[in-house]
Amino acid sequence: MVATSTLKTKSSECISDLVDRRYDQACIEKELDFWDHCLAEPQRNADVTEDRTCQQLAKMFENCLSRAKKTTLHCSSVLVPEKLTRRIAREVLRLASCEPCGLRGCVLYVHLELDKGCKRLERIVYDATVVPTFELTLVFKQDGTAWPSLRDFLFMGTCFAPAFRHVLKLSPGFRLVKKKLYSSSAGTVVEEC
């Protein structure tokens, strides 16, 4: 069923007209209740859309880490703190909210801060059809308190270095750097979380 401006109220004549066309009356009333609720609470619809976008963005970060673990990070698994990607997604959405094109105008560079410097993992363009208006650089941090595995200890003293680290543990902290592309006077915003 499609909500249109011609169905303004749940009058009995409107419902009986739809029932005559073989629509289920209970289904019709549920659908009309839903649209009445949507019109009464437009902010809730925005929250649902934002939550869905947040989930998609968190999934993009998880997929990025998954791809990078064998190609760039050379490890068998990456341990990510619970809800880290979701927290990052919320921060990204917050930083994108004041931009002209929102998240659609974002180019996101994902890095991992290691002992020896930063390693670039991926470049994510949320919507390739939109000209970018700002860049975000996300820097995941390695958990420095993690104990090395026994296997890493065994390989340290030998002449055969391990081909890759087996487990990489991320810290719950991260850094986001925002750079506006459309304004020469705009500065860079750095947020540590």
Side-chain angles (χ1 to χ4, degrees):
M1 173 179 263
V2 177
T4 64
S5 61
T6 58
L7 257 177
K8 291 189 175 156
T9 60
K10 292 189 280 184
S11 68
S12 58
E13 62 188 45
C14 289
I15 293 174
S16 64
D17 183 42
L18 292 171
V19 169
D20 290 343
R21 291 193 224 161
R22 301 196 190 279
Y23 287 103
D24 179 39
Q25 184 167 354
C27 181
I28 295 166
E29 288 177 358
K30 246 191 249 182
E31 191 75 22
L32 290 172
D33 285 343
F34 171 78
W35 288 108
D36 285 346
H37 181 72
C38 287
L39 292 173
E41 294 185 41
Q43 180 59 36
R44 184 170 182 202
N45 295 331
D47 292 343
V48 169
T49 302
E50 186 175 321
D51 190 52
R52 190 175 302 133
T53 305
C54 188
Q55 289 173 356
Q56 290 171 343
L57 201 52
K59 190 68 176 166
M60 287 173 81
F61 295 139
E62 291 165 10
N63 291 338
C64 169
L65 289 169
S66 179
R67 283 188 297 273
K69 79 178 170 186
K70 292 235 171 136
T71 59
T72 311
L73 300 175
H74 305 292
C75 62
S76 59
S77 62
V78 177
L79 300 178
V80 181
E82 187 177 2
K83 299 181 183 176
L84 174 64
T85 55
R86 185 101 169 147
R87 277 185 30 235
I88 295 170
R90 275 196 301 270
E91 284 299 310
V92 168
L93 286 174
R94 187 182 64 75
L95 290 172
S97 67
C98 59
E99 292 298 319
C101 298
L103 185 60
R104 294 176 59 227
C106 179
V107 175
L108 189 72
Y109 295 97
V110 182
H111 295 264
L112 174 65
E113 188 174 85
L114 298 168
D115 299 332
K116 300 170 186 167
C118 274
K119 188 173 248 189
R120 183 174 172 185
L121 303 182
E122 198 166 308
R123 177 181 183 264
I124 299 172
V125 178
Y126 194 79
D127 187 347
T129 63
V130 176
V131 175
T133 58
F134 71 106
E135 292 176 348
L136 285 177
T137 302
L138 166 63
V139 182
F140 285 107
K141 296 181 178 185
Q142 183 178 2
D143 188 354
T145 63
W147 284 80
S149 71
L150 181 60
R151 183 176 292 176
D152 289 343
F153 272 127
L154 293 174
F155 280 116
M156 277 182 193
T158 67
C159 60
F160 302 108
F164 55 86
R165 257 187 98 120
H166 295 293
V167 176
L168 175 71
K169 186 176 178 186
L170 297 181
S171 163
F174 61 92
R175 184 171 52 247
L176 271 173
V177 180
K178 178 179 178 181
K179 179 181 175 190
K180 294 186 179 196
L181 300 175
Y182 60 89
S183 174
S184 60
S185 64
T188 302
V189 177
V190 178
E191 293 206 7
E192 288 276 340
C193 300

